[in-house]
Amino acid sequence: MEKQDIGIIDFADGLPLQSGILKVPEDLDVLAGWLSKREHRIRIDEQDFPIVNNKEKPTFKNTILAYEKSGLLLDRVKNIFFCVTEANKTPEIEAAEKEVTPLLTNFENEISFNQKFFERVKYVYDHERNSLKGEDKVLLEEIYKNFVRSGALLPKDKMARMKEINTKLAQLQQDFGNMLPKASVASTVWVNDVKELAGLSEGAIAQCKKDAESRGGKAPYCIVITNTTQQP
């Protein structure tokens, strides 16, 4: 794929895309490795962020609209990546997610707390907000509010603390997302007396017995909670 300047960061070839769609799950480890090798590119500075480096006076077009249109490839890949991690959490996918999540969190922190960029956003907000209409005005207000809510107006020491909190939250969310499916798979109801399974078919009872044996035989039968809306 040809190199694309997407405004915030330059992504070069190596990304496993086919017709704009990530091939999964076999390419998730490739994506993790790709991001890791380019960790130095997933950062904000004057070379990688032409919006910040723009010497012209901040305007809606060269700051707000430019930011809105930047990062499209990264957003597309993130959406596909995390959709797959939610739907098909294999050990390989979990490992890829563990590697990618901190990189993306650090990247988002650097955007949220980039003061030179926020100064441009605030300038446009202060000077053009009342003259804009419709979608343009809404876009400006949403971007400005998102930065403020992320901590862009905090003093430096509070910003540093906010970055720590963001990193910790990202880790906790990932840990919870990993534990939840494992807990669901491990959830069982142990049954000592076959009479308690009255009403189940012979095949279902046989499956309960087989499941109990495969899980250590704490009781003669067990019901595996795989989908609570379809349990007998």
Side-chain angles (χ1 to χ4, degrees), residues 12-25:
D13 13 92
L15 184 62
L17 291 176
Q18 184 175 22
S19 302
I21 301 298
L22 187 67
K23 297 178 290 180
V24 291

Side-chain angles (χ1 to χ4, degrees), residues 58-94:
T59 65
F60 175 82
K61 182 177 181 180
N62 69 20
T63 300
I64 303 302
L65 192 58
Y67 174 65
E68 175 68 9
K69 291 182 176 181
S70 68
L72 296 179
L73 177 58
L74 179 60
D75 287 341
R76 184 174 61 187
V77 173
K78 280 169 53 181
N79 290 338
I80 298 171
F81 179 81
F82 287 110
C83 178
V84 173
T85 63
E86 290 293 325
N88 184 29
K89 183 70 70 82
T90 65
E92 292 77 18
I93 292 176
E94 183 177 329

Side-chain angles (χ1 to χ4, degrees), residues 14 16 22 32 40 42 49-50 56 71 100 106 109 111 119 123 125 128 158 177 182 200 217 224-225 232:
L22 187 67
H40 64 288
I42 305 182
F49 206 170
E56 298 179 0
V100 167
N106 291 338
N109 276 338
I111 295 175
E119 287 171 7
Y123 184 91
Y125 184 83
E128 293 190 35
K158 300 295 184 182
K182 293 177 182 178
L200 295 184
V224 179
I225 309 300

Side-chain angles (χ1 to χ4, degrees), residues 1-41:
M1 126 185 273
E2 294 182 357
K3 186 175 182 180
Q4 298 184 41
D5 181 357
I6 59 173
I8 291 180
I9 125 182
D10 244 355
F11 280 129
D13 13 92
L15 184 62
L17 291 176
Q18 184 175 22
S19 302
I21 301 298
L22 187 67
K23 297 178 290 180
V24 291
E26 62 271 16
D27 280 335
L28 287 178
D29 58 336
V30 178
L31 173 60
W34 181 81
L35 284 170
S36 297
K37 291 176 182 177
R38 291 162 176 77
E39 182 174 2
H40 64 288
R41 304 300 294 278

